[in-house]
Amino acid sequence: DPKAHPAKAFRAAILHSLANPTDVGLEDSYQYFDDGVLLVADGHVVKVGHADDILPSLDPSVEVVVLENKLITPGFIDTHIHYPQTGMIAAYGEQLLDWLNNYTFPEEKRFADVNYAREVAVQFLDELARNGTTTALVFGTVHKESVDVFFQESEKRNLRMIAGKVLMDRNAPEDLTDTPESGYEDSKALIEKWHNKGRLHYAVTPRFAPTSTSEQLRLAGKLLEEYPDVYMHTHLSENQKEIEWVQELFPESKNYLDVYDQHGLLSSRSVFAHGIHLCDGECKRLSESDSAIAFCPTSNLFLGSGLFPLSEMEAKGIKVGMGTDVGAGTSFSLLQTMSEAYKVMQLQGKKLHPLKSLYQATLGGAKALSLDHLIGNFESGKEADFVVLDLHATQLMKFRMEHAQSLEDKLFVLMTLGDDRTVCDTYSYGQSVYNR
Ligand code: GUN
Ligand code: ZN
C-alpha cells in the first residue's frame, strides 16, 4: 500500500559516494548538493538532486522536511561488531588473548539467559541508531537464542542486518562451547528461520581458528556449500600471539588464512576482521577469492594489535570495509572510527582523505558486504537508509565550522570532532528509527 509510506522529501546539504576514490579519483567519487533534496517513497530513494531541479517537479502533496545546517549522508555500515560485548566495552589493560579470557568470555556466558540477551540486543540496536549505523555484520554468542532475539529486534526496526551464532568447540570455557554437530544444526536452523527474511541475512560465524576444531571448520564449509548466499564472518591475523598459536594448532597450514582456505571458507561473501599482519600469499588468496577485510582502527589501537596497512591491501585488490569491533573497539560511532583510521594512516606516513573515509563507511562497506545493489548511496531505487548530521552539534564544532571553507574541510572536521552528538536523525527504509 503506497499510502502507508507516502513520498517525502528532505531538503539539506546532501553528500554521497559514487565510487572508490582510489579507483576513479576524488572528483568522480562523490556527488554533493549544497542545497539538495532527497526524495524517498516506499522505503526507497526516488531521486536526489539540487533543490532547484527537484522541487518544481514535486507533486504539491509531497511533504518537504527542511533541515538547516544539516548534512544528509547514507547510513553508516559497520562491517564488524559484537553485540554481546556492549556491556564490557572499555575493559582495561589486556591484549587480545587475555582480554578474551578475562573479560569477553565471562560476559558472553551471561547470554545463556535469553532475557539478558534481548535486553542487550535492544540496547545495542538503540546505540547503532544513535550513531547513524543502519547496517552491520554482527557476532552473537555461542547460544543460538542470542541470534534469534537479535534478529527479532532487528526485524521490528526493519534494519538490514547480518548476524550469526558463534561456532566455538575448543579453547574456551565449557559452558561457552558447542560441538561440530550442534554448531552445524543450530546454524542451519537459524539460516532456515532468518536468512533473507525481510532485510535480514545469516553469517556462518566461527569465532577464529584457535577456538574451532578442524571438524567444526569443515562443517562450517559444508553450510556455505549448502547455502551459497549465506555470509562467512570470522577474525584473522589480529595479534602476534594469536598468529603463533594458530601455527601451533594447525601445523599443516601454510599460514593463518590457509586454515580457513583449506576448509572452504573463502568467497565473495566472506568477511575477515582485522587482517593486520598478512603475508603476500594471504593477500593473494584474499584477492583471488574476492573476500573482504574489516578495518577496525579503534579496536586495533585499544588492544595494541597493530596498524592496518589500508593502502597496501587496496593496491593488492582486497575489498575493505570499516568496523567498530565493539567491545574491543571503543566507539559505536563510524565518525569516531574514521577519525581513528586517519590517525592510523598518519602513523604509517599516509593520508586518508575525508571523502575516502566517507566512501569506506558507506558504499565501500556495502561493497564489502555484497549489498551495494541495495544500500550504500542514494542511487535511484536503493533502500532509503540515511542520516541527518548536525554541522553545529557542539559549541566547538559550530565555531570550527565557521572557519571551514570547502566541503572537504567541513567533512574532515565533522569526522574528527563528530560522534553520536552529531547524529540528529537516523532513517531505515525511509522510516525514522532515531531522533536526537
Ligand atoms: N578474536 C577472537 N574473538 C575475538 C573478539 O571477540 N574480539 C576481537 N577483537 N578479536 C577476537
Ligand atoms: Zn571482533
Side-chain angles (χ1 to χ4, degrees):
D1 177 13
K3 291 227 173 61
H5 300 294
K8 201 164 171 176
F10 298 85
R11 182 174 185 178
I14 300 178
L15 173 66
H16 68 139
S17 295
L18 301 174
N20 191 341
T22 306
D23 299 337
V24 302
L26 280 174
E27 274 315 302
D28 294 329
S29 78
Y30 71 97
Q31 212 173 24
Y32 176 67
F33 306 99
D34 58 349
D35 180 13
V37 170
L38 176 66
L39 181 64
V40 310
D42 300 320
H44 291 81
V45 174
V46 178
K47 56 185 166 181
V48 65
H50 199 277
D52 292 344
D53 296 329
I54 303 244
L55 289 179
S57 70
L58 286 188
D59 187 289
S61 70
V62 174
E63 181 189 352
V64 180
V65 180
V66 180
L67 301 155
E68 306 253 340
N69 294 313
K70 304 292 188 293
L71 175 69
I72 295 177
T73 72
F76 300 124
I77 298 178
D78 190 337
T79 63
H80 179 67
I81 187 165
H82 301 251
Y83 102 77
Q85 296 175 10
T86 305
M88 49 77 63
I89 187 172
Y92 174 78
E94 310 292 0
Q95 293 214 351
L96 177 64
L97 300 178
D98 294 322
W99 175 86
L100 283 174
N101 286 322
N102 296 345
Y103 299 113
T104 313
F105 291 159
E107 175 63 15
E108 292 193 6
K109 283 182 194 178
R110 298 183 65 185
F111 287 72
D113 173 1
V114 67
N115 294 320
Y116 182 66
R118 188 183 299 281
E119 192 185 306
V120 177
V122 167
Q123 178 73 35
F124 173 88
L125 290 169
D126 283 352
E127 204 58 39
L128 289 191
R130 178 192 304 288
N131 284 280
T133 300
T134 48
T135 288
L137 174 56
V138 182
F139 260 68
T141 64
V142 74
H143 316 93
K144 64 174 186 298
E145 296 80 7
S146 77
V147 175
D148 202 54
V149 296
F150 178 78
F151 279 136
Q152 287 173 25
E153 296 301 325
S154 299
E155 187 177 44
K156 282 185 198 163
R157 300 166 190 233
N158 203 9
L159 299 168
R160 193 164 279 289
M161 283 286 161
I162 314 171
K165 180 204 108 73
V166 166
L167 299 170
M168 177 153 76
D169 69 346
R170 65 167 168 173
N171 294 323
E174 195 166 353
D175 45 352
L176 265 191
T177 51
D178 55 10
T179 66
E181 295 72 27
S182 76
Y184 172 86
E185 292 300 338
D186 289 350
S187 302
K188 197 178 180 86
L190 287 165
I191 291 169
E192 293 285 343
K193 181 166 179 191
W194 292 108
H195 184 58
N196 293 336
K197 180 159 191 240
R199 305 183 76 200
L200 306 173
H201 310 273
Y202 194 81
V204 172
T205 308
R207 176 168 221 119
F208 66 155
T211 47
S212 285
T213 59
S214 183
E215 177 60 6
Q216 177 157 70
L217 295 177
R218 188 185 70 77
L219 287 173
K222 184 161 183 264
L223 283 169
L224 299 178
E225 256 175 39
E226 291 168 345
Y227 301 95
D229 69 336
V230 150
Y231 291 86
M232 202 291 300
H233 185 199
T234 191
H235 295 94
L236 171 69
S237 198
E238 175 179 8
N239 170 286
Q240 295 296 351
K241 284 194 180 138
E242 169 207 22
I243 296 167
E244 287 162 27
W245 194 23
V246 170
Q247 215 40 248
E248 286 165 27
L249 291 168
F250 296 92
E252 71 288 1
S253 68
K254 281 191 288 208
N255 50 52
Y256 193 158
L257 184 71
D258 192 43
V259 175
Y260 299 131
D261 205 359
Q262 285 181 8
H263 295 90
L265 302 183
L266 274 59
S267 84
S268 60
R269 293 184 170 261
S270 302
V271 180
F272 297 92
H274 309 297
I276 305 171
H277 314 283
L278 298 172
C279 67
D280 288 344
E282 290 172 300
C283 293
K284 186 156 176 286
R285 281 301 295 144
L286 286 172
S287 159
E288 282 171 357
S289 60
D290 198 27
S291 301
I293 292 190
F295 172 22
C296 308
T298 75
S299 167
N300 295 344
L301 295 171
F302 184 71
L303 292 183
S305 305
L307 304 176
F308 178 69
L310 174 62
S311 342
E312 287 83 345
M313 291 295 120
E314 280 206 309
K316 290 172 181 165
I318 300 167
K319 292 185 298 194
V320 178
M322 300 304 297
T324 62
D325 193 27
V326 165
T330 52
S331 173
F332 279 81
S333 170
L334 262 302
L335 294 170
Q336 278 295 291
T337 303
M338 293 181 234
S339 172
E340 297 303 290
Y342 174 81
K343 297 170 193 173
V344 165
M345 299 309 282
Q346 280 281 46
L347 284 166
Q348 299 176 91
K350 300 254 163 63
K351 289 182 186 168
L352 186 58
H353 194 279
L355 287 164
K356 169 72 172 166
S357 294
L358 177 79
Y359 167 82
Q360 291 304 143
T362 56
L363 186 59
K367 283 184 196 283
L369 301 180
S370 302
L371 291 174
D372 51 307
H373 58 302
L374 297 173
I375 54 173
N377 68 7
F378 296 141
E379 211 179 286
S380 296
K382 285 204 185 178
E383 295 170 346
D385 291 357
F386 60 97
V387 289
V388 179
L389 303 173
D390 183 0
L391 297 173
H392 293 175
T394 64
Q395 205 58 43
L396 176 62
M397 191 185 283
K398 182 166 186 282
F399 184 65
R400 177 64 179 84
M401 282 297 174
E402 285 164 16
H403 297 77
Q405 302 292 329
S406 60
L407 167 66
E408 282 89 337
D409 280 353
K410 288 182 189 164
L411 189 60
F412 187 63
V413 170
L414 188 77
M415 52 187 59
T416 305
L417 301 182
D419 52 32
D420 57 335
R421 294 169 296 180
T422 317
V423 177
C424 284
D425 295 279
T426 303
Y427 286 84
S428 179
Y429 212 69
Q431 300 296 300
S432 172
V433 290
Y434 171 73
N435 173 252
R436 190 181 57 188

